[in-house]
Coordinates of all heavy atoms in Angstrom, one line a residue:
M861 N 136.1 183.0 63.6 CA 135.1 183.7 64.3 C 133.7 183.6 63.4 O 132.7 183.4 63.9 CB 135.4 185.1 64.7 CG 134.4 185.7 65.6 SD 134.2 184.8 67.1 CE 133.7 186.0 68.1
Q862 N 134.0 183.9 62.2 CA 132.8 183.9 61.2 C 132.2 182.6 61.1 O 130.9 182.4 61.0 CB 133.2 184.4 60.0 CG 132.0 185.0 59.1 CD 132.6 185.7 57.9 OE1 133.7 185.2 57.3 NE2 131.8 186.6 57.3
L863 N 133.0 181.6 61.1 CA 132.5 180.1 61.1 C 131.8 179.8 62.3 O 130.7 179.2 62.2 CB 133.7 179.2 60.8 CG 133.2 177.7 60.8 CD1 132.3 177.5 59.7 CD2 134.5 176.9 60.8
F864 N 132.2 180.3 63.4 CA 131.5 180.1 64.7 C 130.0 180.6 64.6 O 129.1 180.1 65.0 CB 132.3 180.6 65.9 CG 131.5 180.6 67.1 CD1 131.4 179.3 67.7 CD2 130.9 181.6 67.8 CE1 130.8 179.2 69.1 CE2 130.3 181.6 68.9 CZ 130.2 180.4 69.7
N865 N 130.0 181.9 64.2 CA 128.7 182.6 64.0 C 127.7 181.8 63.1 O 126.6 181.7 63.5 CB 128.9 184.1 63.6 CG 129.5 184.9 64.7 OD1 129.4 184.6 65.9 ND2 130.1 186.0 64.2
K866 N 128.3 181.3 62.0 CA 127.4 180.6 61.0 C 127.0 179.3 61.6 O 125.7 178.9 61.5 CB 128.1 180.3 59.7 CG 128.3 181.6 58.9 CD 129.0 181.4 57.6 CE 129.3 182.5 56.8 NZ 130.0 182.2 55.5
T867 N 127.8 178.7 62.4 CA 127.4 177.5 63.1 C 126.4 177.7 64.2 O 125.4 177.0 64.3 CB 128.7 176.7 63.7 OG1 129.6 176.5 62.7 CG2 128.3 175.4 64.4
L868 N 126.6 178.9 64.9 CA 125.6 179.1 65.9 C 124.3 179.4 65.2 O 123.2 179.0 65.7 CB 126.1 180.3 66.8 CG 125.3 180.8 67.9 CD1 125.2 179.6 69.0 CD2 125.9 182.0 68.6
L869 N 124.3 180.2 64.2 CA 123.1 180.5 63.5 C 122.4 179.3 63.0 O 121.0 179.1 63.2 CB 123.3 181.5 62.3 CG 122.1 181.9 61.6 CD1 121.1 182.6 62.4 CD2 122.6 182.8 60.3
A870 N 123.1 178.3 62.4 CA 122.6 177.2 61.8 C 121.9 176.2 63.0 O 120.8 175.7 62.8 CB 123.6 176.3 61.1
T871 N 122.5 176.3 64.1 CA 122.1 175.5 65.2 C 120.8 176.0 65.7 O 119.8 175.4 66.0 CB 123.1 175.4 66.4 OG1 124.3 174.8 65.8 CG2 122.6 174.6 67.6
A872 N 120.6 177.3 65.7 CA 119.4 178.0 66.3 C 118.3 177.8 65.3 O 117.2 177.6 65.8 CB 119.7 179.6 66.5
L873 N 118.5 177.9 64.0 CA 117.6 177.7 63.0 C 117.0 176.3 63.1 O 115.8 176.0 62.9 CB 118.0 178.0 61.6 CG 118.3 179.4 61.2 CD1 119.0 179.6 60.0 CD2 117.0 180.1 61.3
L874 N 118.0 175.3 63.3 CA 117.4 173.9 63.4 C 116.6 173.7 64.6 O 115.6 173.0 64.6 CB 118.7 172.9 63.4 CG 119.4 172.7 62.0 CD1 120.7 171.8 62.4 CD2 118.5 172.0 61.1
A875 N 117.0 174.3 65.7 CA 116.2 174.2 67.0 C 114.9 174.8 66.7 O 113.8 174.3 67.2 CB 117.0 174.9 68.1
M876 N 114.8 175.9 66.1 CA 113.4 176.6 65.9 C 112.6 175.8 65.0 O 111.4 175.6 65.1 CB 113.7 178.0 65.2 CG 114.2 179.0 66.4 SD 114.7 180.6 65.6 CE 113.6 180.9 64.3
T877 N 113.2 175.2 63.9 CA 112.4 174.4 63.1 C 112.0 173.1 63.7 O 110.9 172.7 63.6 CB 113.4 173.9 61.9 OG1 113.8 175.1 61.2 CG2 112.6 173.1 60.8
A878 N 112.8 172.4 64.6 CA 112.4 171.3 65.3 C 111.2 171.6 66.3 O 110.3 170.9 66.4 CB 113.5 170.8 66.1
S879 N 111.2 172.8 66.9 CA 110.2 173.2 67.8 C 108.9 173.4 67.0 O 107.9 173.1 67.5 CB 110.6 174.6 68.5 OG 109.6 174.9 69.3
A880 N 109.0 174.1 65.9 CA 107.8 174.3 65.1 C 107.3 173.0 64.6 O 106.0 172.9 64.5 CB 108.1 175.2 63.9
V881 N 108.0 172.1 64.2 CA 107.5 170.7 63.7 C 106.9 170.0 64.9 O 105.6 169.5 64.7 CB 108.7 169.9 63.1 CG1 108.2 168.5 63.0 CG2 109.1 170.5 61.8
A882 N 107.5 170.1 66.1 CA 106.8 169.4 67.3 C 105.5 170.1 67.6 O 104.6 169.4 67.9 CB 107.8 169.5 68.4
S883 N 105.4 171.4 67.5 CA 104.2 172.2 67.8 C 103.1 171.8 66.8 O 101.9 171.5 67.2 CB 104.4 173.7 67.7 OG 105.1 174.1 68.8
S884 N 103.5 171.8 65.6 CA 102.4 171.4 64.5 C 102.1 169.9 64.7 O 100.9 169.6 64.5 CB 102.9 171.7 63.2 OG 104.0 170.8 62.7
G885 N 102.9 169.1 65.1 CA 102.7 167.7 65.3 C 101.6 167.6 66.5 O 100.7 166.8 66.5
A886 N 101.9 168.2 67.5 CA 101.0 168.3 68.8 C 99.7 168.9 68.4 O 98.6 168.3 68.9 CB 101.6 169.0 69.9
E887 N 99.6 169.9 67.6 CA 98.4 170.5 67.2 C 97.6 169.6 66.3 O 96.3 169.5 66.5 CB 98.6 171.9 66.5 CG 97.2 172.7 66.3 CD 97.5 173.9 65.7 OE1 98.6 174.5 65.6 OE2 96.4 174.6 65.4
A888 N 98.3 168.8 65.5 CA 97.5 167.8 64.7 C 97.0 166.7 65.5 O 96.0 166.2 65.3 CB 98.5 167.2 63.6
L889 N 97.8 166.4 66.5 CA 97.4 165.3 67.5 C 96.1 165.8 68.3 O 95.2 165.0 68.4 CB 98.5 165.0 68.5 CG 98.2 163.9 69.4 CD1 97.9 162.6 68.7 CD2 99.5 163.7 70.2
A890 N 96.1 167.1 68.5 CA 94.9 167.7 69.3 C 93.7 167.5 68.5 O 92.5 167.3 68.8 CB 95.2 169.1 69.8
Q891 N 94.0 167.9 67.1 CA 92.8 167.9 66.1 C 92.3 166.5 66.0 O 91.1 166.2 66.1 CB 93.4 168.4 64.8 CG 92.3 168.4 63.7 CD 91.2 169.4 63.9 OE1 91.5 170.5 64.2 NE2 90.0 169.1 63.4
K892 N 93.2 165.5 65.8 CA 92.8 164.1 65.6 C 92.1 163.5 66.9 O 91.2 162.7 66.8 CB 94.0 163.3 65.4 CG 93.9 161.7 65.2 CD 95.2 161.1 65.0 CE 95.3 160.1 66.1 NZ 96.5 159.4 66.3
S893 N 92.4 164.0 68.1 CA 91.8 163.6 69.3 C 90.6 164.2 69.6 O 90.0 163.9 70.6 CB 92.9 163.8 70.3 OG 94.1 163.1 70.0
G894 N 90.1 165.3 68.8 CA 88.9 165.9 69.1 C 88.9 167.1 70.0 O 87.9 167.7 70.4
C895 N 90.2 167.4 70.5 CA 90.4 168.5 71.4 C 89.9 169.9 70.8 O 89.3 170.8 71.5 CB 91.7 168.6 71.8 SG 92.4 167.1 72.6
L896 N 90.1 170.0 69.5 CA 89.9 171.3 68.9 C 88.4 171.6 68.5 O 88.0 172.6 68.1 CB 90.8 171.5 67.7 CG 92.3 171.6 67.9 CD1 93.1 171.7 66.7 CD2 92.6 172.7 69.0
L897 N 87.7 170.6 68.8 CA 86.1 170.7 68.7 C 85.7 171.7 69.8 O 84.6 172.4 69.6 CB 85.4 169.4 68.8 CG 85.7 168.4 67.7 CD1 85.1 167.1 68.0 CD2 85.1 169.0 66.3
C898 N 86.3 171.6 71.0 CA 85.9 172.4 72.2 C 86.9 173.6 72.5 O 86.4 174.3 73.3 CB 85.6 171.4 73.4 SG 84.4 170.3 73.1
H899 N 88.0 173.5 72.0 CA 89.0 174.5 72.4 C 89.7 175.0 71.2 O 90.0 174.3 70.3 CB 90.2 173.8 73.3 CG 89.7 173.2 74.5 ND1 89.6 174.0 75.7 CD2 89.4 171.9 74.8 CE1 89.2 173.2 76.6 NE2 89.0 171.9 76.1
G900 N 89.8 176.4 71.1 CA 90.6 177.0 70.1 C 92.1 177.4 70.7 O 92.2 177.4 71.9
V901 N 93.0 177.6 69.9 CA 94.3 178.1 70.3 C 94.2 179.5 70.9 O 94.7 179.7 71.9 CB 95.3 177.9 69.1 CG1 96.7 178.6 69.6 CG2 95.5 176.5 68.7
D902 N 93.5 180.3 70.1 CA 93.5 181.7 70.5 C 92.1 182.2 71.0 O 92.0 183.3 71.5 CB 93.8 182.6 69.2 CG 95.2 182.5 68.9 OD1 96.1 182.4 69.6 OD2 95.4 182.4 67.6
K903 N 91.1 181.4 70.9 CA 89.7 181.8 71.2 C 88.9 180.7 72.0 O 89.2 179.5 71.7 CB 89.0 182.3 70.0 CG 88.6 181.3 69.0 CD 87.9 182.0 67.8 CE 87.7 181.0 66.6 NZ 86.8 179.9 66.7
K904 N 88.1 181.2 72.8 CA 87.2 180.3 73.5 C 86.3 179.6 72.6 O 85.7 180.3 71.7 CB 86.5 181.0 74.7 CG 85.5 180.2 75.3 CD 84.8 181.1 76.5 CE 83.6 180.4 77.1 NZ 83.6 179.2 77.6
V905 N 86.0 178.4 72.7 CA 85.0 177.7 71.8 C 83.9 177.2 73.0 O 83.1 178.0 73.4 CB 85.5 176.5 71.0 CG1 84.3 175.8 70.2 CG2 86.6 177.0 70.0
V906 N 83.9 176.0 73.4 CA 83.1 175.5 74.5 C 83.9 175.6 75.7 O 83.5 176.2 76.8 CB 82.7 174.1 74.3 CG1 82.0 173.5 75.6 CG2 81.8 174.0 73.0
G907 N 85.1 175.3 75.6 CA 86.2 175.3 76.7 C 87.1 176.6 76.4 O 87.0 177.3 75.4
P908 N 87.9 176.8 77.3 CA 88.9 178.0 77.2 C 89.8 177.8 76.0 O 90.2 176.8 75.6 CB 89.7 178.0 78.6 CG 89.6 176.6 79.0 CD 88.3 176.0 78.5
A909 N 90.4 179.1 75.6 CA 91.5 179.0 74.6 C 92.7 178.4 75.1 O 92.9 178.6 76.4 CB 91.7 180.4 74.2
Y910 N 93.4 177.6 74.3 CA 94.6 177.1 75.0 C 95.6 178.1 75.4 O 96.3 177.9 76.3 CB 95.2 176.2 73.9 CG 94.6 174.9 73.7 CD1 94.6 174.2 72.6 CD2 93.9 174.2 74.8 CE1 94.0 172.9 72.4 CE2 93.3 173.0 74.7 CZ 93.4 172.4 73.5 OH 92.8 171.2 73.3
K911 N 95.6 179.2 74.8 CA 96.6 180.4 75.2 C 96.1 180.9 76.7 O 97.0 181.2 77.3 CB 96.6 181.4 74.2 CG 97.5 181.0 73.0 CD 97.8 182.1 72.2 CE 98.7 181.7 71.0 NZ 99.1 182.7 70.1
E912 N 94.8 180.8 76.9 CA 94.3 181.2 78.3 C 94.8 180.1 79.3 O 95.2 180.6 80.4 CB 92.8 181.2 78.3 CG 92.2 182.5 77.6 CD 90.7 182.3 77.7 OE1 90.1 181.7 77.0 OE2 90.1 183.0 78.7
V913 N 94.7 179.0 79.0 CA 95.2 177.9 79.8 C 96.6 178.1 80.1 O 97.1 178.0 81.3 CB 94.9 176.4 79.2 CG1 95.5 175.4 80.1 CG2 93.3 176.2 79.0
A914 N 97.4 178.2 79.0 CA 98.9 178.3 79.2 C 99.2 179.6 80.1 O 100.1 179.6 81.1 CB 99.6 178.7 77.9
A915 N 98.4 180.7 80.0 CA 98.7 181.9 80.8 C 98.3 181.6 82.3 O 99.1 182.1 83.2 CB 97.9 183.1 80.3
K916 N 97.3 181.0 82.5 CA 96.8 180.7 83.8 C 97.8 179.9 84.6 O 98.1 180.1 85.9 CB 95.5 179.9 83.8 CG 94.9 179.5 85.2 CD 93.6 178.8 85.1 CE 93.1 178.3 86.4 NZ 92.3 179.3 87.1
Y917 N 98.4 178.9 84.0 CA 99.4 178.0 84.6 C 100.8 178.3 84.5 O 101.7 177.6 84.8 CB 99.0 176.5 84.1 CG 97.7 176.1 84.7 CD1 96.6 176.1 83.8 CD2 97.6 175.6 85.9 CE1 95.4 175.6 84.3 CE2 96.3 175.2 86.3 CZ 95.3 175.1 85.6 OH 94.0 174.8 86.0
K918 N 101.1 179.4 83.9 CA 102.6 179.9 83.7 C 103.2 180.0 84.9 O 102.8 180.5 85.9 CB 102.5 181.2 83.0 CG 103.9 181.7 82.6 CD 104.0 183.0 81.9 CE 105.3 183.4 81.6 NZ 105.7 183.5 80.3
G919 N 104.3 179.2 85.0 CA 105.1 179.2 86.2 C 104.8 178.2 87.3 O 105.4 178.0 88.3
D920 N 103.6 177.5 87.0 CA 103.3 176.4 88.0 C 103.9 175.1 87.5 O 103.5 174.5 86.5 CB 101.6 176.3 87.8 CG 101.1 175.3 88.7 OD1 101.9 174.3 89.4 OD2 99.8 175.3 88.9
K921 N 104.7 174.7 88.5 CA 105.5 173.5 88.1 C 104.7 172.2 88.2 O 105.2 171.1 87.7 CB 106.8 173.4 89.1 CG 107.7 174.5 88.9 CD 109.1 174.3 89.4 CE 110.0 175.4 89.3 NZ 110.2 176.0 88.1
T922 N 103.6 172.3 88.9 CA 102.6 171.2 88.9 C 101.6 171.2 87.9 O 100.7 170.2 87.7 CB 102.0 171.1 90.3 OG1 101.1 172.2 90.5 CG2 103.0 171.1 91.4
A923 N 101.7 172.1 87.0 CA 100.6 172.2 85.9 C 100.4 171.0 85.0 O 99.3 170.6 84.7 CB 100.9 173.6 85.1
E924 N 101.5 170.6 84.5 CA 101.5 169.5 83.6 C 100.8 168.3 84.2 O 99.8 167.7 83.5 CB 102.9 169.1 83.1 CG 102.9 168.0 82.0 CD 104.2 167.6 81.5 OE1 105.0 168.5 81.3 OE2 104.3 166.3 81.3
A925 N 101.1 167.9 85.3 CA 100.5 166.7 86.0 C 99.1 167.0 86.3 O 98.1 166.1 86.0 CB 101.2 166.3 87.3
K926 N 98.7 168.2 86.8 CA 97.3 168.5 86.9 C 96.5 168.5 85.7 O 95.4 167.9 85.7 CB 97.2 169.8 87.6 CG 97.6 170.0 89.1 CD 97.2 171.3 89.7 CE 98.2 172.3 89.3 NZ 98.1 173.5 90.2
L927 N 97.1 169.0 84.7 CA 96.3 169.2 83.5 C 96.1 167.7 82.8 O 95.1 167.5 82.2 CB 96.8 170.2 82.5 CG 96.6 171.6 82.9 CD1 97.4 172.6 82.0 CD2 95.2 172.1 83.2
V928 N 97.2 167.0 82.8 CA 97.1 165.7 82.3 C 96.0 164.9 82.9 O 95.2 164.2 82.3 CB 98.5 164.8 82.3 CG1 98.3 163.3 82.2 CG2 99.5 165.4 81.4
Q929 N 95.8 164.9 84.3 CA 94.9 164.3 85.1 C 93.5 164.8 84.7 O 92.6 164.0 84.4 CB 95.2 164.3 86.5 CG 94.3 163.6 87.4 CD 94.4 162.0 87.1 OE1 95.5 161.5 86.8 NE2 93.3 161.3 87.2
K930 N 93.4 166.1 84.6 CA 92.1 166.7 84.1 C 91.6 166.2 82.9 O 90.5 166.0 82.6 CB 92.1 168.3 84.4 CG 91.0 169.0 83.9 CD 89.9 169.0 85.0 CE 90.0 170.1 85.7 NZ 89.0 170.3 86.9
V931 N 92.5 166.2 81.8 CA 92.2 165.8 80.6 C 91.8 164.4 80.6 O 90.8 164.0 80.0 CB 93.4 166.0 79.6 CG1 93.0 165.4 78.2 CG2 93.6 167.5 79.4
K932 N 92.4 163.5 81.3 CA 92.1 162.1 81.3 C 90.8 161.8 82.0 O 90.0 161.1 81.5 CB 93.2 161.3 82.2 CG 94.6 161.1 81.4 CD 95.6 160.7 82.3 CE 95.5 159.2 82.6 NZ 96.7 158.7 83.2
T933 N 90.5 162.5 83.2 CA 89.3 162.2 83.9 C 88.1 163.2 83.7 O 87.0 162.8 84.1 CB 89.6 162.1 85.4 OG1 90.1 163.3 85.8 CG2 90.8 161.0 85.7
G934 N 88.4 164.3 83.1 CA 87.4 165.2 82.9 C 87.1 166.1 84.2 O 87.8 165.9 85.2
G935 N 86.2 167.0 84.2 CA 85.9 167.9 85.2 C 85.4 169.2 84.9 O 85.1 169.5 83.8
G936 N 85.1 169.9 85.8 CA 84.4 171.3 85.6 C 84.6 172.2 86.7 O 85.2 171.9 87.7
G937 N 84.1 173.4 86.5 CA 84.1 174.4 87.6 C 85.2 175.4 87.4 O 85.2 176.4 88.2
V938 N 86.3 175.0 86.7 CA 87.5 175.9 86.8 C 87.2 177.0 85.6 O 87.5 178.1 85.9 CB 88.8 175.1 86.3 CG1 89.9 175.9 86.2 CG2 89.0 174.1 87.4
W939 N 86.6 176.7 84.4 CA 86.5 177.6 83.4 C 85.0 177.9 83.1 O 84.8 178.5 82.0 CB 87.2 177.0 82.2 CG 88.7 176.8 82.4 CD1 89.3 175.7 82.7 CD2 89.6 177.8 82.2 NE1 90.6 176.0 82.7 CE2 90.9 177.2 82.4 CE3 89.6 179.2 81.7 CZ2 92.2 177.9 82.3 CZ3 90.8 179.8 81.7 CH2 92.0 179.3 82.0
G940 N 84.1 177.5 83.9 CA 82.8 177.9 83.7 C 81.9 176.6 84.1 O 82.3 175.6 84.6
E941 N 80.7 176.7 83.6 CA 79.6 175.6 83.9 C 79.8 174.4 83.2 O 79.4 173.3 83.6 CB 78.2 176.2 83.8 CG 78.0 177.3 84.7 CD 76.6 177.8 84.7 OE1 75.7 177.1 84.3 OE2 76.4 179.1 85.0
M942 N 80.3 174.5 81.9 CA 80.3 173.3 81.0 C 81.5 172.4 81.4 O 82.6 172.7 81.3 CB 80.5 173.7 79.5 CG 80.6 172.6 78.6 SD 79.1 171.6 78.4 CE 78.0 172.7 77.5
P943 N 81.1 171.1 82.0 CA 82.2 170.3 82.3 C 82.9 169.7 81.0 O 82.3 169.5 80.0 CB 81.5 169.2 83.0 CG 80.2 169.1 82.5 CD 79.7 170.6 82.1
M944 N 84.2 169.3 81.2 CA 85.0 168.6 80.2 C 84.8 167.2 80.4 O 85.0 166.7 81.5 CB 86.5 169.0 80.2 CG 87.3 168.4 79.1 SD 89.0 168.9 79.0 CE 89.6 168.2 80.5
P945 N 84.4 166.4 79.4 CA 84.2 165.0 79.6 C 85.6 164.3 79.6 O 86.7 164.9 79.2 CB 83.6 164.5 78.3 CG 84.0 165.5 77.2 CD 84.1 166.8 78.0
P946 N 85.7 163.1 80.2 CA 86.9 162.4 80.2 C 87.4 162.0 78.9 O 86.6 161.8 78.0 CB 86.6 161.1 81.1 CG 85.1 161.0 81.1 CD 84.5 162.5 80.9
N947 N 88.7 162.0 78.6 CA 89.3 161.7 77.4 C 90.1 160.4 77.4 O 90.7 160.0 76.4 CB 90.1 162.8 77.0 CG 89.3 164.0 76.5 OD1 88.7 164.1 75.3 ND2 89.2 165.0 77.4
S948 N 90.1 159.7 78.5 CA 90.8 158.4 78.6 C 89.8 157.4 78.7 O 88.8 157.6 79.5 CB 91.7 158.4 79.8 OG 92.4 157.3 79.8
P949 N 89.8 156.2 78.1 CA 91.0 155.7 77.4 C 90.9 156.0 75.8 O 91.9 155.5 75.3 CB 90.7 154.2 77.7 CG 89.2 154.1 77.7 CD 88.7 155.3 78.3
Q950 N 90.0 156.7 75.3 CA 90.0 156.9 73.9 C 91.2 157.7 73.4 O 91.7 157.4 72.2 CB 88.6 157.5 73.4 CG 88.4 159.0 73.9 CD 87.7 158.9 75.3 OE1 87.7 157.9 76.1 NE2 87.0 160.1 75.4
V951 N 91.8 158.6 74.2 CA 93.0 159.2 73.8 C 94.1 158.6 74.8 O 94.0 158.6 75.9 CB 92.9 160.8 74.0 CG1 94.2 161.4 73.7 CG2 91.9 161.3 73.3
K952 N 95.2 158.2 74.1 CA 96.3 157.5 74.8 C 97.0 158.4 75.8 O 97.0 159.8 75.5 CB 97.3 157.0 73.9 CG 96.8 155.8 73.0 CD 98.0 155.3 72.2 CE 98.0 156.0 70.9 NZ 99.0 155.6 69.9
D953 N 97.4 157.9 76.9 CA 98.1 158.7 77.9 C 99.3 159.6 77.4 O 99.4 160.8 77.6 CB 98.6 157.9 79.1 CG 97.4 157.4 79.9 OD1 96.3 157.7 79.6 OD2 97.7 156.5 80.9
D954 N 100.2 159.0 76.5 CA 101.2 159.6 75.9 C 100.8 160.8 75.0 O 101.5 161.9 75.0 CB 102.1 158.7 75.1 CG 102.9 157.8 76.0 OD1 103.1 158.0 77.2 OD2 103.4 156.7 75.6
D955 N 99.6 160.6 74.3 CA 99.2 161.7 73.5 C 98.6 162.7 74.3 O 98.8 164.0 74.0 CB 98.0 161.2 72.7 CG 98.6 160.1 71.6 OD1 99.8 160.1 71.3 OD2 97.9 159.5 70.8
I956 N 97.9 162.5 75.4 CA 97.4 163.4 76.3 C 98.6 164.4 76.9 O 98.6 165.6 76.9 CB 96.6 162.8 77.5 CG1 95.3 162.4 77.0 CG2 96.3 163.9 78.6 CD1 94.4 161.5 77.9
K957 N 99.7 163.6 77.3 CA 100.9 164.4 77.9 C 101.5 165.3 76.7 O 101.7 166.4 77.0 CB 101.9 163.3 78.3 CG 103.0 164.0 78.9 CD 104.0 163.0 79.5 CE 105.2 163.7 80.2 NZ 106.0 162.8 80.8
T958 N 101.6 164.9 75.5 CA 102.0 165.6 74.4 C 101.3 166.9 74.2 O 101.8 168.0 74.1 CB 102.2 164.8 73.1 OG1 103.0 163.7 73.3 CG2 102.7 165.7 72.0
I959 N 99.9 166.7 74.2 CA 99.0 167.9 73.9 C 99.1 168.8 75.1 O 99.2 170.0 74.8 CB 97.6 167.3 73.7 CG1 97.4 166.5 72.4 CG2 96.5 168.5 73.7 CD1 96.2 165.7 72.4
V960 N 99.1 168.3 76.3 CA 99.3 169.2 77.5 C 100.5 170.1 77.4 O 100.6 171.3 77.6 CB 99.2 168.5 78.8 CG1 99.5 169.3 79.9 CG2 97.7 167.9 78.9
Q961 N 101.6 169.3 77.1 CA 102.9 170.0 77.0 C 102.9 171.1 75.9 O 103.4 172.2 76.1 CB 104.1 169.0 76.7 CG 104.4 168.2 77.9 CD 105.4 167.0 77.6 OE1 105.6 166.7 76.2 NE2 106.0 166.5 78.5
W962 N 102.3 170.9 74.8 CA 102.1 171.8 73.7 C 101.3 173.1 74.2 O 101.6 174.3 74.0 CB 101.4 171.2 72.5 CG 101.0 172.1 71.4 CD1 101.8 173.0 70.8 CD2 99.7 172.4 71.1 NE1 100.9 173.8 70.0 CE2 99.7 173.4 70.1 CE3 98.5 171.9 71.5 CZ2 98.5 173.8 69.5 CZ3 97.3 172.2 70.9 CH2 97.3 173.3 69.9
V963 N 100.2 172.8 74.8 CA 99.3 173.8 75.4 C 100.1 174.7 76.3 O 100.0 175.9 76.2 CB 98.0 173.3 76.0 CG1 97.2 174.3 76.8 CG2 97.0 172.6 75.0
L964 N 100.9 174.2 77.2 CA 101.5 174.9 78.2 C 102.7 175.8 77.5 O 103.2 176.7 78.1 CB 102.1 174.0 79.3 CG 101.1 173.4 80.2 CD1 101.6 172.4 81.2 CD2 100.3 174.5 81.0
S965 N 103.1 175.4 76.3 CA 104.1 176.0 75.7 C 103.7 177.2 74.9 O 104.5 178.1 74.4 CB 104.9 175.1 74.7 OG 104.1 174.9 73.5
L966 N 102.4 177.4 74.8 CA 101.8 178.5 74.0 C 102.0 179.8 74.5 O 102.1 180.0 75.7 CB 100.4 178.2 73.7 CG 100.1 177.0 72.9 CD1 98.5 176.8 72.8 CD2 100.7 177.2 71.5

C-alpha cells in the first residue's frame, strides 16, 4: 500500500511538472509572438488580461475555435474600442492554437 501511495504521488508530481513546463513554453511562445506587448496574464495592457479571457470563455466548448480564428484574423468590439490586428501568417497556426489553449487554461 505504501508503494502504491509513493507511485501515485510521483505520478501526480510528474503531471504537475509537465503542465508547468507546457505553460511556461506557451507563455514564452506568446512572448516571442508579440502577444504580451498588448496582453498581460493578470492585467489589461492594450487588450484584456488573459485571465479575463479565460474567465469569459470558461465552460464554452466552442471558445478555442472562436479564439483561434479571432487571433488569426483580428477583430474588435468585444473588449473595447481598440481592435486586435490579425496575427496570421506571421504567427503559425499551430502556435496560435497552443497560445489559445494556454490562455483558456489560466
Side-chain angles (χ1 to χ4, degrees):
M861 189 63 155
Q862 198 172 35
L863 179 61
F864 175 76
N865 288 339
K866 287 181 181 178
T867 303
L868 185 62
L869 178 61
T871 302
L873 288 173
L874 282 173
M876 288 171 38
T877 301
S879 177
V881 168
S883 289
S884 67
E887 187 171 0
L889 185 58
Q891 178 72 37
K892 179 184 116 186
S893 300
C895 305
L896 296 178
L897 294 172
C898 295
H899 300 276
V901 174
D902 295 317
K903 64 181 172 69
K904 175 182 169 46
V905 180
V906 174
Y910 284 150
K911 287 188 176 183
E912 287 180 277
V913 175
K916 178 181 178 88
Y917 291 100
K918 185 177 178 118
D920 181 345
K921 298 200 184 304
T922 65
E924 183 179 321
K926 285 191 278 193
L927 292 176
V928 165
Q929 189 61 34
K930 177 74 100 180
V931 172
K932 287 170 75 169
T933 61
V938 176
W939 296 96
E941 295 180 29
M942 179 64 77
M944 182 173 69
N947 289 283
S948 183
Q950 64 271 24
V951 180
K952 293 185 272 180
D953 289 355
D954 287 344
D955 291 348
I956 291 172
K957 184 174 181 178
T958 297
I959 293 166
V960 166
Q961 289 171 341
W962 167 64
V963 168
L964 291 172
S965 76
L966 296 173

